[in-house]
Structures are given as C-alpha cells and as structure tokens.
Amino acid sequence: MSQNLSRGTERIIKALIETLKPRKPGFDPAAEEFMLQVADDFLGALPSHMKILFPLGLRLLEYGTLIFAFSPIPFSRMSLSKREQYIKGWMDSKIPLRRDLIKGMKAIALTGYYAFPEVMNHIGYNLEEHLKRINVVDLNTPPAVACDAEAAKYFREMDKLGKWGIVDGLPGKAKKYFEERE
Amino acid sequence: MIITGDQVSKDLEEKCQVLIIGSGAAGGAIGAELSEAGVDVIILEEGGHYTSKDFVPDPSKMIPMLYRDAGTSVIMGSPSIIFSEGCCVGGSTVINGGMCWRVPEKILKRWNLEFGLSDITPKELEPYYRKVEKIINVAPQSPESLSKAEMMFHRATTKLGYLIRRNQRNQLNCTGEGLCVFGCPTDRKRSVLVTYVPKAMQAGARLYADCRVTKITSEHGRATGIEGQIIDRKTKKKKHKVRIKAQLVIVACGAIQTPALLLGSKLGNSSKQVGKNFLCHPNVKIVGIFDQQINYWAGVHQAHQVHEFLEEGMLFALGGVHPSLVSLSLPGFGRQSIELMELWNHMVVAGALIDDTTYGKVIRLPWGPPLALYQIDDIEYERMLRAIALMSEIMFTAGARKVLLPFFHLQELNGMDDIKKVFSSGIKKAEIETLTVHAFGTTRMCADPNRGVVNQWGEVNDCSKLFVVDGGTIPTSLGVNPQETIMALATRSGVHILENKNKYLS
C-alpha cells in the first residue's frame, strides 16, 4: 500500500514500471510490487518542491499523449506496445527537458529493479558471497584475503619493482617517471 | 552527545559559544578542533544520524536515507548536471569515494595571484594537512583490496605511458567491499562520522541531527545565533522550533546550501558575490565491456587516478558502483536494459573529472531552497569529449570490445578506430550526460572584500562573528578531490579562532 503516492500518481507509476521493467523471454521476475515500494519511498524522501514537481511531470507524461502521440488515450490506459513506443519517443526527443524527465522516471523504476535479489542474482552480482569471503572481523586487522588474487599478485610485484608508488612527479612527466624505472 | 529529532519533544532554546551549521568535512573538522580546546560547541545537522549498523548495500534504502533530496538534486543547465551530496551526520564524507589529495601547488599560486591569498602556501598548509591525514587515516590501498579492473586499468595506462598514481584514501585496512557510496558498513572508510564527530562528542560538543536552520540571526552587523526547526525524518516536516544563541556562528553547509542560507538571512552579500562563481567539476563516465569476466565491483573503487592530463583539466579513475546506478546511465529500457546488464560482470566503469573553466551561480528560491545554475562552456565541452576519447583508448588498450558512451546519439564505440567518432559525430553539449559530487566558489575567499565573501580565514567580510568554512570558500576549481583540502582549511580556521579567542569568543 503506497504511503506517499496519490491514486492517480500510483496508476501512472504502475504503468511506467510495467513499460520500463527490464525483462526478456525466460526471465521476468515478479518485482513490480518492490519497484512500486521503492518509488513510494523515493517520493516520500523528496524535498517539498519536488513532491509537487514530480507528480506534475508524471501528469505531463500521462496526458502528453495528446501532443506527442496524437492520441486521446492517456499513457496509463494505452496498450503496452503503444506505451513502449511513446516512452521511446520521450527518450529520443530533441527537447532536453523531455529526455531529462524520462531519465528521472527511469531512475525511480530501475533503482528498485536492479536492487531486487532475484535480479542481482541473475546478473551475477553476488555481493554477499564477496563480503563473506573478504571480511575480517576486527577493524584493526589488515585484509587477509585478496579481492582478486591475480590483481593482488600483480600489484605486489609492481610494488617490489618500485613501479607502484605515490609518485611525486608532476603531471606530464609520466614518460620520464616510467623511463627512469625501466 | 548526539541528539536526534525524535528525542526532542518540545521547542528548543539553547546557548553556546560556537554554533556550527553542518557536520560534514568542514563542520566536523572545525567542531572537533574547537571542542577539544575546551570551547562549548553545538553542531547542527539537517540529515539524520546513522551508523555503520544501518548501512546496507541497497540503493533503494540508502539513497533516500543518506543523500540530499534522495539523490535527485540537479544543477540546471543544458545539459543539467546530476548533483549528489550527503545529508546525514558526517555529510558527504559518509557517501563519497574517500579520495584524499592535497591542493596542487599551481592552484595555490593562482589563489595568491588572482585572489591575494598570499598566506595560503604549501608550507602554511602542511601542518593542517598532516593533522587531517592522521585523524582520517589517509593511506594508499593494499594490493588485497584491489579488483581485477584496477589491474587492467593500471596495465593499460602504463602501456600507454600515462602517469597513474595510487590514490590516497581515508581508510583503515579497507577490505575492498566497494560500498563506499552507501556508507561503509565496516567503518573502514574513516569518514567524519567515525573520526571527527566522535572526537567532538568526546570533548563535550553537542550535535543535533534532524535540525534544519532557516535563518542566521544578527544584530548590528554581528551574527548572534540561528532560528531553525527540528524536522520529522520521514516527512521532512517541521516538528519543533529551534532558537540557539551563540557568540560565534560557523556555516559549513556546502557550496550550494550555504549561499541560500546567507541570502535568506540577508548577510554577507555586500560584495554581491554570495552564490556567484559556482564551480562543480562536471564528470562524465563511460562503460567498457570486456569478453572476460572481471567483477569490477569486487574490490575498492578508485584505487588509482590518471594524473597525466591534470594540467589539461582532466583526471580519470575507475568507479565501482551498484548495478542499480550503472543501469540508469545505460541506453534503453525493457529487454535492451536486461540484456546489457547481463554483461554486468564483464563491465568496467571509468569516469573523468573535468576542471571547470566557467562559472555558474546558486540562487535562493523564494521559498528558501537553493537552485544551482551552470552552463558548460566550449572549453569544458572539448575537455569532456577528449576525456571520453582518452578513457576509451585506455579501455580498448585494456582489452575492451565495446565502450558505451554518455551521449544521446553516439552510444557506443566498437574499437580504437571508432574513437575519432567522438569528435566527428557533432555531439551537442545538451546531449552529454554529466554528474558531479563537488561544488566550490559560492562564498569565495579573497583578500579584496569587493571580490569575495570571506577572508583567508573564512571570516565573513561584512558581518562579524560569522564564518564560512565549507567548499564554497575555495575560490577556484581544484582539479582533484576536495575533501582533504576542505578539512585542512576548516582546521586552519579553527586554529585561527582559538588563537584569537578574545576577538571571537568574548
């Protein structure tokens, strides 16, 4: 149940989420409720002027179909394929304001989607596993496990060769710096 | 003692010697400096107080919690620039990448030549920098904390003969969790939240979180305190009134909020410079796509910086962020988005910080908040294109098969030979996607009171007992990350106040 979205705003955001939601045959997780919750949380955290401007922007998207798609049907009542076409028109618009507006709306929709556990798992973002592997308990203990063994080995060797320092050389002297050490 | 909004049950009236507005890089540093010398200090912070126990790797929770305006702040122009800053105890230091660089010497020469700041020399700043570096534990990263992407980046830039430097970061035994921008969950990033704020609290300072200042009060050209509100953290609505009287008021709200507060309080603007001279280090980023799996997020981000082009106004680094944030800058939606993001572990994101060559301004909207305006000029535009071309060169040298660009029309390059398209495709300024996390200049220091807002110590020229110590006092673009310089200058102002107690604290 949305806490910060009016019924009208919620209807438009739901349509927007359905249109923008990344999915393909064989992968379409049920993330809609989560995405709506994230949009609701974001709207609640906006400053007062944005709380007015953001729903206004959504209304422009909703009723802009009349001007930008020559259709009397508002965005949220269009078919999915028509909505996709309409959104593409906003993204490819020559008017920067339209592009910026849809970028903001895309941000509200996609931030939730790619933070959804099933999606993170699908794209291979296994942060929990990474954290479990590298974490040390005590703040004063240096890291014992390398984030990437090959990288750690490379930088240790560079360090031994004196090629991995906080160089005091000025910019533009890079060549000299590397030549001196080779 | 930290008091949060929900602990305040009635209107608040307080008194102190020094009142500091803002608890970020500047407010935290000067707060600790003064309170440890026995000064009675109150620090006010508009955002909430959170600790590492509250930090989770979920942008949908952390951005509304830790970022001003839930990360939706925009600098208006063509293109508009997305601006991110922290709004929580510890300020932007809680959510930044933790880069620590001293101000380049050539910049200090400019400060002397153009603004008469002859006392601010490398020698003069040395002890302040050293003190800051000790407190926030500035150190290079260990090899263990680095990702494969950093290795590829280092190899490629070395092969190209470009100067690459190990980044100095405020960290202690960083394990490379790559979660800096959502608040470090293990306190290994030594932000103001876990360094200066505890120091100030231990020395007896009081910090009010969830407290928004609406006006600096004054009498006969002398700051006397503030009026403000305790706000409800969830609704951001006013809960209680706040009035605090102080012998000295220090503003440290950052280069965008501070001018709005000064203008609203009708203070400090006899030079008409408040809010002018706004600089913001616009950033552009690209995404390299590789055949091999890299997992660039598994390790600390920005462990190195390419300084080869610093004198030409460009600095490059890798940036590791959450897939949610990367997805926003990729083209398309629906199927196109998921198919691109399925390459997540094959991606490497690089960003360029562009040294400003023009000024914007910050104005105060009639109902109080600031509005930042900034128009990228031809030189910055050229730098952006060049930075994108050079970063693409590094990516292809590292083995990328494709580079995704921050342009509206030209969205990808498929090899070295394509790089020239960056210059030949007729990209317009408005078609470049930009963002920033730095802001300077809006209350700049200057020896000439007609050209600046504060003197070299941060003291406001036309109002006594009022200081500004945040990034707004920095008169030029730095070309490098500013947090350490902001902390060093604030510490210097604190020492100056303590050395002149009779003048400021009587």
Side-chain angles (χ1 to χ4, degrees):
Chain A
M1 183 72 187
S2 307
Q3 287 184 328
N4 305 298
L5 308 175
S6 69
R7 264 171 53 189
T9 302
E10 186 176 325
R11 190 187 67 239
I12 304 167
I13 290 185
K14 274 184 174 171
L16 196 64
I17 285 173
E18 195 192 358
T19 317
L20 294 176
K21 186 186 166 193
R23 58 179 168 257
K24 64 177 211 175
F27 184 72
D28 188 8
E32 287 84 349
E33 277 302 308
F34 181 73
M35 291 162 82
L36 185 67
Q37 184 58 52
V38 171
D40 188 35
D41 291 346
F42 264 90
L43 201 74
L46 292 180
S48 50
H49 63 284
M50 284 295 286
K51 276 184 181 152
I52 299 166
L53 290 175
F54 185 71
L56 271 179
L58 284 173
R59 292 322 185 268
L60 186 64
L61 179 84
E62 172 79 341
Y63 301 111
T65 50
L66 206 59
I67 309 162
F68 304 123
F70 306 111
S71 164
I73 305 167
F75 169 72
S76 64
R77 301 195 196 287
M78 283 175 150
S79 68
L80 183 59
S81 61
K82 285 259 168 66
R83 260 186 274 150
E84 283 172 354
Q85 253 182 339
Y86 178 61
I87 290 284
K88 223 176 158 320
W90 275 66
M91 284 182 174
D92 296 340
S93 171
K94 285 187 177 162
I95 306 166
L97 182 68
R98 274 179 82 197
R99 295 201 305 267
D100 288 347
L101 261 173
I102 203 69
K103 229 184 271 171
M105 291 168 196
K106 186 177 157 184
I108 298 276
L110 294 197
T111 303
Y113 182 78
Y114 285 109
F116 193 61
E118 208 180 321
V119 178
M120 289 196 289
N121 199 33
H122 176 75
I123 62 171
Y125 184 54
N126 298 319
L127 183 65
E128 253 178 60
E129 201 182 286
H130 171 65
L131 296 181
K132 225 185 271 172
R133 201 170 64 81
I134 60 165
N135 258 3
V136 286
V137 184
D138 178 8
L139 177 64
N140 293 312
T141 311
V145 181
C147 289
D148 185 274
E150 193 190 348
K153 191 177 162 214
Y154 168 79
F155 285 115
R156 272 195 297 264
E157 273 170 19
M158 293 299 281
D159 205 14
K160 260 190 223 163
L161 293 170
K163 290 185 177 181
W164 193 49
I166 295 150
V167 194
D168 288 320
L170 290 169
K173 290 188 178 169
K175 274 193 181 153
K176 194 178 164 218
Y177 164 70
F178 285 108
E179 275 163 16
E180 273 171 11
R181 278 157 184 77
E182 268 164 15
Chain B
M1 181 173 49
I2 297 178
I3 303 122
T4 54
D6 54 7
Q7 292 171 307
V8 179
S9 56
K10 56 180 184 178
D11 290 352
L12 193 71
E13 294 227 358
E14 283 268 25
K15 262 187 192 172
C16 62
Q17 278 184 296
V18 175
L19 177 68
I20 300 168
I21 311 168
S23 69
I30 198 167
E33 189 67 36
L34 295 175
S35 53
E36 286 189 328
V39 177
D40 175 25
V41 171
I42 290 182
I43 304 173
L44 303 178
E45 169 55 52
E46 184 178 355
H49 176 234
Y50 305 97
T51 66
S52 52
K53 288 188 187 108
D54 301 306
F55 301 152
V56 291
D58 182 350
S60 65
K61 289 190 175 62
M62 290 301 103
I63 294 175
M65 192 164 113
L66 301 175
Y67 285 63
R68 180 171 295 283
D69 302 341
T72 61
S73 307
V74 170
I75 298 166
M76 300 300 287
S78 183
S80 293
I81 302 171
I82 298 161
F83 177 67
S84 298
E85 69 175 347
C87 187
C88 55
V89 173
S92 293
T93 68
V94 175
I95 51 114
N96 69 7
M99 257 49 70
C100 295
W101 289 97
R102 294 184 178 195
V103 57
E105 211 174 319
K106 64 159 189 169
I107 300 289
L108 291 182
K109 279 183 188 160
R110 251 189 88 187
W111 291 10
N112 179 7
L113 201 71
E114 292 178 34
F115 303 99
L117 302 168
S118 52
D119 289 345
I120 306 181
T121 59
K123 199 178 164 197
E124 156 77 5
L125 290 180
E126 174 66 27
Y128 304 110
Y129 272 126
R130 233 183 307 129
K131 188 169 188 178
V132 169
E133 285 163 3
K134 195 175 169 204
I135 291 170
I136 62 171
N137 211 74
V138 175
Q141 290 294 136
S142 69
E144 284 73 23
S145 63
L146 304 186
S147 69
K148 187 177 282 180
E150 289 288 346
M151 177 187 75
M152 293 162 73
F153 187 61
H154 190 273
R155 259 189 193 147
T157 45
T158 308
K159 193 173 168 188
L160 289 164
Y162 297 156
L163 175 64
I164 182 166
R165 299 169 85 165
R166 280 173 89 177
N167 232 335
Q168 297 269 59
R169 302 178 76 245
N170 51 320
Q171 52 85 23
L172 176 65
N173 296 324
C174 172
T175 42
E177 286 148 85
L179 296 170
C180 303
V181 297
F182 302 137
C184 180
T186 55
D187 289 337
R188 284 178 168 81
K189 182 174 81 177
R190 306 306 287 159
S191 71
V192 164
L193 175 68
V194 293
T195 53
Y196 282 112
V197 168
K199 275 166 82 67
M201 297 304 107
Q202 256 174 12
R206 288 162 284 167
L207 191 155
Y208 285 95
D210 309 303
C211 181
R212 180 191 291 146
V213 175
T214 51
K215 190 184 174 188
I216 299 165
T217 55
S218 63
E219 276 172 25
H220 313 299
R222 174 182 172 277
T224 56
I226 63 99
E227 288 174 4
Q229 306 161 345
I230 294 291
I231 51 173
D232 181 276
R233 200 177 288 180
K234 262 202 149 172
T235 62
K236 311 275 180 212
K237 284 185 180 155
K238 176 178 130 185
K239 265 175 67 185
H240 302 288
K241 282 185 193 166
V242 178
R243 281 182 77 88
I244 301 176
K245 292 269 174 208
Q247 288 170 3
L248 183 72
V249 177
I250 298 174
V251 190
C253 314
I256 293 189
Q257 299 297 319
T258 292
L261 182 59
L262 291 180
L263 291 169
S265 309
K266 297 188 169 43
L267 292 173
N269 199 21
S270 61
S271 63
K272 307 277 181 229
Q273 296 295 318
V274 173
K276 304 257 176 75
N277 317 305
F278 173 55
L279 301 153
C280 67
H281 280 172
N283 287 203
V284 282
K285 64 172 188 287
I286 61 165
V287 180
I289 296 181
F290 293 74
D291 285 327
Q292 65 184 114
Q293 188 163 327
I294 296 163
N295 295 6
Y296 89 107
W297 48 270
V300 72
H301 74 161
Q302 299 194 52
H304 298 91
Q305 285 182 346
V306 176
H307 280 194
E308 179 74 22
F309 307 98
L310 214 54
E311 284 187 347
E312 294 161 67
M314 298 172 286
L315 180 156
F316 313 143
L318 295 187
V321 285
H322 195 277
S324 284
L325 305 182
V326 172
S327 71
L328 306 182
S329 60
L330 299 183
F333 60 95
R335 187 168 179 162
Q336 189 186 2
S337 172
I338 190 70
E339 284 181 349
L340 269 174
M341 287 302 288
E342 281 172 345
L343 299 169
W344 169 246
N345 284 333
H346 298 256
M347 286 181 185
V348 175
V349 181
L353 179 158
I354 305 295
D355 203 353
D356 304 62
T357 52
T358 183
Y359 290 124
K361 63 181 172 183
V362 174
I363 58 170
R364 181 182 178 271
L365 294 171
W367 58 96
L371 176 68
L373 306 160
Y374 186 92
Q375 185 52 53
I376 286 164
D377 71 2
D378 289 344
I379 300 171
E380 280 164 350
Y381 164 76
E382 280 297 329
R383 283 181 180 176
M384 282 179 175
L385 295 191
R386 213 170 147 230
I388 287 164
L390 286 163
M391 287 193 297
S392 300
E393 183 195 24
I394 295 172
M395 286 287 187
F396 287 124
T397 306
R401 69 173 152 86
K402 189 188 275 193
V403 169
L404 304 178
L405 304 174
F407 299 141
F408 167 52
H409 285 301
L410 181 65
Q411 294 188 334
E412 62 179 58
L413 302 175
N414 289 299
M416 279 293 190
D417 292 343
D418 269 2
I419 292 178
K420 51 184 174 289
K421 286 186 189 165
V422 170
F423 302 103
S424 63
S425 298
I427 310 287
K428 291 179 187 151
K429 287 176 197 158
E431 294 170 359
I432 306 175
E433 196 171 275
T434 58
L435 64 148
T436 189
V437 289
H438 301 158
F440 317 103
T442 53
T443 50
R444 74 181 181 190
M445 285 186 277
C446 187
D448 176 359
N450 294 317
R451 292 178 56 229
V453 178
V454 300
N455 67 13
Q456 61 154 322
W457 306 107
E459 190 177 4
V460 175
N461 289 323
D462 59 3
C463 179
S464 66
K465 307 286 182 115
L466 180 62
F467 276 67
V468 177
V469 294
D470 55 43
T473 63
I474 293 175
T476 63
S477 174
L478 292 183
V480 293
N481 311 72
Q483 75 161 344
E484 195 183 324
T485 299
I486 293 172
M487 288 175 185
L489 289 172
T491 306
R492 181 174 174 269
S493 297
V495 170
H496 174 74
I497 291 166
L498 292 172
E499 284 171 352
N500 296 277
K501 263 189 179 174
N502 287 345
K503 183 178 172 191
Y504 299 118
L505 303 177
S506 58

